[in-house]
Structures are given as C-alpha cells and as structure tokens.
Amino acid sequence: MVKFRTEICTAGGSWKISADEKLLFIGSCFSDEIGRCLAERGFDISVNPFGPLYNPLSIANCFRRALEGEEYDDTDLTPGPRGYHCLDYATRFSGDDRASILEGINSRLSSLKERVGEGAVVFVTLGTSFVYELADGGRLVGNCHKFPASMFRRRMIDVKEAADALAAIVCLLRGNGARKLVFTVSPIRHLADGFHENTLSKATLHLAIEHVRAENPDFVDYFPSFEIVMDDLRDYRAYADDLVHISSQGVAYIYEKFEERFFTADTRYIAAMARKKYLSSQHRQILEKND
C-alpha cells in the first residue's frame, strides 16, 4: 500500500488524565487553543491567566513569582502611553490605575499558586527561544506593550539557558504539589524572526526539553504538538490564512491526538457528553439572541 503521510501515534503512556483533573495551561497562544477545547468538554482548567508567554525565561519568572509569593508593587510598573504597564505580561495589565493593575496581577499569582497546590497537571507550551530585555538595565520582559523597539534588546537564548529555566520550573512545580508537568513546543511559526532563525529557535526548545525530561522521567512528559504538524500533517491546510497560526482543522486534529495520549475510554466518554451539552447550550443562546 502506498503511503502519503507518516501518522504519529500518541496512544499509550504510563499515566492518564481523569475527567475531574485540575489542569493548568501556560505558554504561547497555542495553549489557548487546546485549553479552549478542554474547557468546552467540561474540564476544570486554567489557561494563560497572564496572557500568552512565549519563552522559557518569562514562563519560569511567572512560576517563580507565583510559587515563591513575590508580589508585584509600584516598582514593577513602567510609565507609558496607557498610563502604567507591567511588561512581564500581556497588555491587559496596563492602565491609569496602578492599584487595579497590581491587584489583578497579584490575585492571579495567588490563584496560580493555589491551582498548582491542588495537584494540577501542568502543560507548558513553549513558542520561541528569543527573548526581549530592556536596553537600559537588561531586565527581561514578557511583552513589549508596543513600546518603541529602541527600548529593548532582542537575543536568542542558548540550550543551557533554556534548560536551566525549564529545570527551575520543574523544581518549583515539584515542590508545590503539581502532579505532572508536560512540555510541548508550539507549531505556530515565528516567521518574523526569520525562517532559519525560527528553526534554530524551535530546535533550542526541543533540546532543552529533552535534557530536562531525561533528568526527571517520573515527573516530566512531552506531547508532540510540533511534530504532529511538521511531520504528520505536513500540509499548509493545517495553517490559517496567515500561514503562521494553526487552522481550526489543524487544532482539532492535534486535540484528537491529545485525547488519544492522555484520556482513558471513560474520560473520553465524559468529555464527549460534556461537549454535546456545551454545543447545545451555545445553540440555545443563538436562538435566544435571534428571538
């Protein structure tokens, strides 16, 4: 029989997710896509409470501040066009009211620590090895908030620096009660970095993950989101019109592989029933609006 693709089989694995599992997704915007699929199937899930984070250093910093209880204060805010900005996180954390910004961040830090302490299964989706630092002082930022490019230095971290950040995440999550940690590399293409640079960036993430996984085989796992798109689908139909993000069909296929890897038959059934109920509720809402 002639084959035109190499399908990745994700079935198996020594552990599974139950329908009542506490889940936490943090990382690139691809986390939002899979998180949405799980939320629609009734899972107790927290997804990117600080908005997307793309590089290992910013994600490690987020976990460190949450799990070590280091709250933000006025010194962590940068004056800018929208008032005050927390450059560690998404642009939603900006505005004229400093107290409101800080309360929003610190309450999310507290919730994140609580979620991990509940024995959550944590999924970290890494997007890039490129980081941005303030040109004046070198402090890492997670989001540039559309400030002038001249304010920042951009560089690509090496495998050791990436692996050290991931190892710090492992240590923090282990020490605060997480059940499992699953890394994945986002298949979203960062072509603004350049084609070759994007390849180097993704390769750095893969090598860093493999190093940390080898050191913590009982706690750290890997899900091949990147490989499913690059080596299984291998088709631009898996991408949205911008040829950068993943299409809805591509996300649906990756999610099927996610279920194949992490769900028991019982969990799949419960998730399917919850999804049916969700779709029914959405249909009623549309009808009510039309009325």
Side-chain angles (χ1 to χ4, degrees):
M1 182 177 68
V2 177
K3 291 186 177 181
F4 290 96
R5 55 188 282 257
T6 52
E7 183 175 355
I8 293 175
C9 179
T10 56
S14 59
W15 65 279
K16 299 291 182 181
I17 292 173
S18 64
D20 60 353
E21 200 87 58
K22 304 288 187 182
L23 303 177
L24 170 63
F25 276 67
I26 281 188
S28 81
C29 49
F30 186 69
S31 286
D32 295 311
E33 297 284 2
I34 300 301
R36 175 184 53 78
C37 293
L38 290 161
E40 291 176 358
R41 288 159 177 81
F43 284 88
D44 185 348
I45 183 170
S46 174
V47 182
N48 278 343
F50 299 93
L53 294 169
Y54 298 95
N55 70 80
L57 303 190
S58 291
I59 295 171
N61 181 60
C62 176
F63 277 120
R64 180 187 64 78
R65 296 199 72 146
L67 299 179
E68 293 182 355
E70 184 182 340
E71 291 194 336
Y72 283 75
D73 59 30
D74 287 350
T75 63
D76 295 301
L77 301 181
T78 302
R82 296 183 62 185
Y84 299 92
H85 300 250
C86 181
L87 299 180
D88 285 348
Y89 306 119
T91 54
R92 75 184 71 160
F93 299 105
S94 63
D96 294 326
D97 189 341
R98 286 182 294 182
S100 177
I101 297 168
L102 294 172
E103 194 281 329
I105 295 171
N106 290 328
S107 65
R108 284 170 172 80
L109 289 176
S110 178
S111 296
L112 178 59
K113 183 173 184 177
E114 181 180 352
R115 169 61 47 135
V116 172
E118 292 172 334
V121 176
V122 181
F123 290 83
V124 172
T125 305
L126 302 171
T128 182
S129 298
F130 282 97
V131 301
Y132 286 83
E133 298 164 334
L134 290 175
D136 182 12
R139 182 173 73 83
L140 175 75
V141 302
N143 192 301
C144 295
H145 284 223
K146 298 184 179 180
F147 275 69
S150 59
M151 278 187 59
F152 307 99
R153 278 196 310 262
R154 173 179 170 273
R155 67 182 180 90
M156 189 172 77
I157 60 177
D158 61 23
V159 174
K160 183 181 184 306
E161 195 171 1
D164 287 347
L166 300 188
I169 293 172
V170 171
C171 184
L172 286 163
L173 293 176
R174 269 189 183 275
N176 285 272
R179 182 164 89 87
K180 289 284 185 181
L181 169 59
V182 182
F183 287 115
T184 189
V185 174
S186 170
I188 294 174
R189 309 160 78 203
H190 289 240
L191 295 185
D193 295 330
F195 283 85
H196 181 56
E197 290 79 3
N198 177 66
T199 300
L200 292 174
S201 171
K202 300 288 189 182
T204 297
L205 299 177
H206 284 290
L207 289 168
I209 290 171
E210 191 56 30
H211 175 79
V212 173
R213 185 170 67 145
E215 294 289 324
N216 304 272
D218 62 319
F219 184 70
V220 177
D221 208 340
Y222 177 74
F223 179 71
S225 300
F226 183 86
E227 292 83 350
I228 289 170
V229 174
M230 297 295 149
D231 298 315
D232 184 343
L233 295 177
R234 293 183 66 86
D235 191 325
Y236 276 108
R237 285 176 296 181
Y239 285 93
D241 290 344
D242 62 6
L243 300 182
V244 170
H245 294 84
I246 308 302
S247 69
S248 58
Q249 284 183 314
V251 170
Y253 183 75
I254 296 169
Y255 179 75
E256 287 178 10
K257 292 296 185 181
F258 184 95
E259 283 201 355
E260 181 181 81
R261 165 58 186 87
F262 294 112
F263 289 5
T264 63
D266 285 345
T267 303
R268 277 193 167 190
Y269 176 77
I270 294 170
M273 293 300 100
R275 167 72 170 165
K276 185 176 181 180
K277 183 177 180 181
Y278 167 80
L279 292 175
S280 177
S281 70
Q282 295 299 106
H283 181 63
R284 284 198 300 272
Q285 289 178 20
I286 292 172
L287 289 176
E288 289 168 0
K289 288 179 181 178
N290 289 339
D291 289 343

